[in-house]
Amino acid sequence: MALERTFVMVKPDGVERRLVGEIIGRFERRGLRLVGMRLLQPDRALAERHYATHKGKPFYEPLVDFIISGPVVAMCWEGTQAVSLVRKMMGALKPEEALPGTIRGDFTTEVRTNLVHGSDAVETAQAEIALWLGNDLLP
Ligand code: UDP
Ligand code: MG
């Protein structure tokens, strides 16, 4: 079981809805360790790099507009199999598939404004940690 670091972001809707503490608390209670955190309002260039894999999809432009619409909380969390654990705790993308007990399943009904981002693989996590928080946090 590998010790991993993953990138998590509370999106602008999470900050606006005062759910930052709720979201951080869930990861802490699970036993993950917070190793880096930054509150910032991303500019368009940063948001576009973060979501580069989605460029050209119908939801890409409104997604970038949403992510730069207010401050976000960019974090690095560490733990055993942290990448997949965080994804499970976030819940599925489709609101009707996000189970109760997950962050999205407990607090969201929309596909875009879904409170939280988490890296989908170890390699993605390394790129996202470096992009948002710098190379010092790389495992
Ligand atoms: N998204 C959207 N409409 C879609 C699919 C995705 O607005 O049809 C947004 C949503 O905020 C999602 C983000 O784009 O979290 C990235 O999509 P992805 O498929 O990577 O989902 P995630 O990895 O966040 O579960
Ligand atoms: Mg994704």
Side-chain angles (χ1 to χ4, degrees):
M1 293 296 182
L3 188 71
E4 295 173 352
R5 287 187 172 189
T6 191
F7 175 72
V8 176
M9 170 173 47
V10 180
K11 297 182 182 184
D13 56 333
V15 177
E16 178 62 28
R17 290 176 60 191
R18 280 62 165 165
L19 288 170
V20 174
E22 168 71 36
I23 292 166
I24 288 177
R26 286 176 177 231
F27 294 132
E28 285 196 323
R29 290 197 300 273
R30 186 71 193 258
L32 293 167
R33 190 165 78 94
L34 182 62
V35 295
M37 178 160 72
R38 190 177 159 213
L39 176 82
L40 75 158
Q41 183 155 358
D43 62 17
R44 188 169 293 276
L46 176 57
E48 286 181 347
R49 281 181 69 189
H50 176 74
Y51 281 123
T53 54
H54 294 306
K55 194 171 166 70
K57 296 179 185 171
F59 63 85
Y60 172 78
E61 295 289 347
L63 173 62
V64 169
D65 288 342
F66 164 55
I67 288 297
I68 67 173
S69 67
V72 303
V73 181
M75 298 176 283
C76 182
W77 287 88
E78 182 183 80
T80 302
Q81 296 195 295
V83 173
S84 60
L85 198 63
V86 162
R87 294 284 293 186
K88 285 204 180 71
M89 292 176 70
M90 282 166 44
L93 175 66
K94 290 183 183 168
E96 69 272 22
E97 293 175 7
L99 297 176
T102 66
I103 295 165
R104 290 170 176 175
D106 285 347
F107 298 108
T108 70
T109 58
E110 306 302 317
V111 71
R112 180 180 306 135
T113 51
N114 58 11
L115 295 177
V116 67
H117 166 87
S119 307
D120 60 10
V122 172
E123 307 75 57
T124 322
Q126 296 194 353
E128 292 176 349
I129 290 165
L131 178 64
W132 290 87
L133 299 166
N135 289 326
D136 290 354
L137 284 171
L138 290 179

